[in-house]
Amino acid sequence: MNYKHYTRPLAAAILMAGLALAQAPGGPNAPTEPGQGRKERSGEFRKRVRGSHFRNLNLNDSQKQHAKSIFGAAREAGKPVAEQLKQSRQASFEAIKAGKSEAELDQLAANQGRLIGQMSAIHSKAFAQFYSILTPEQRQKLEEAREAGGGRMGGPWGTGFRGR
């Protein structure tokens, strides 16, 4: 099996995860507790993005329902992995604070990489199912949108990692 096509998304996901952990809250309306309000904001954003993609692809009602089912199942399948990833990130932070060895930090990072890989697999499989229900014209529109986005389609429209 060729894993080369996973290398770049995995590296980007690890980098994004590190940046997300390092970001300080911003602005006067920033939540006072870590993660406060994040699910609400991300859920609304997902609905808006998904709706615009559905409109752009001109999915029929059956396709929309099927897509919701596919991505809903993927979201449910990803919940335990996302929880493990959250715990792993917390363990890494605690290890850093405790001054653990580089070998221990490597082991924690490897575990996070494995979990990110599982999330990527869940997203890839869901997207493959979704892609299979598209007409040739819809597939063409999707490819044009992917190319217009610099070849990167995250979220439900590609294999981008969204470990929340």
Side-chain angles (χ1 to χ4, degrees):
M1 182 174 215
N2 184 354
Y3 294 100
K4 284 186 179 179
H5 61 280
Y6 290 111
T7 306
R8 192 173 274 165
L10 182 58
I14 292 170
L15 178 62
M16 289 186 315
L19 291 173
L21 288 173
Q23 267 185 346
N29 297 324
T32 55
E33 296 294 321
Q36 181 184 1
R38 179 177 171 188
K39 282 190 176 191
E40 295 81 11
R41 289 190 312 271
S42 66
E44 289 302 314
F45 176 75
R46 273 196 304 271
K47 287 178 187 175
R48 283 195 318 270
V49 169
R50 189 179 305 126
S52 71
H53 282 300
F54 284 165
R55 283 188 298 279
N56 292 342
L57 292 176
N58 296 319
L59 299 177
N60 63 39
D61 290 340
S62 174
Q63 287 174 312
K64 287 179 187 177
Q65 198 58 32
H66 202 159
K68 287 178 185 178
S69 173
I70 290 168
F71 294 121
R75 191 169 30 261
E76 288 303 312
K79 281 183 179 180
V81 180
E83 183 58 35
Q84 290 174 16
L85 186 56
K86 179 180 175 182
Q87 292 170 358
S88 180
R89 287 177 178 151
Q90 184 61 37
S92 291
F93 183 66
E94 295 300 325
I96 291 167
K97 290 190 328 186
K100 298 289 184 176
S101 72
E102 287 186 9
E104 289 171 296
L105 295 176
D106 285 344
Q107 186 177 16
L108 289 166
N111 184 51
Q112 286 181 28
R114 180 184 59 79
L115 294 168
I116 290 168
Q118 288 178 8
M119 291 295 283
S120 181
I122 290 168
H123 291 158
S124 295
K125 291 171 189 175
F127 184 75
Q129 289 176 355
F130 172 72
Y131 193 80
S132 73
I133 68 171
L134 297 178
T135 66
E137 295 81 19
Q138 291 168 327
R139 289 178 181 184
Q140 181 63 36
K141 281 185 180 183
L142 185 64
E143 182 60 26
E144 289 168 3
R146 190 185 70 78
E147 288 174 6
R152 183 169 172 257
M153 295 293 290
W157 308 109
T159 58
F161 171 72
R162 294 181 314 162
R164 296 192 221 334

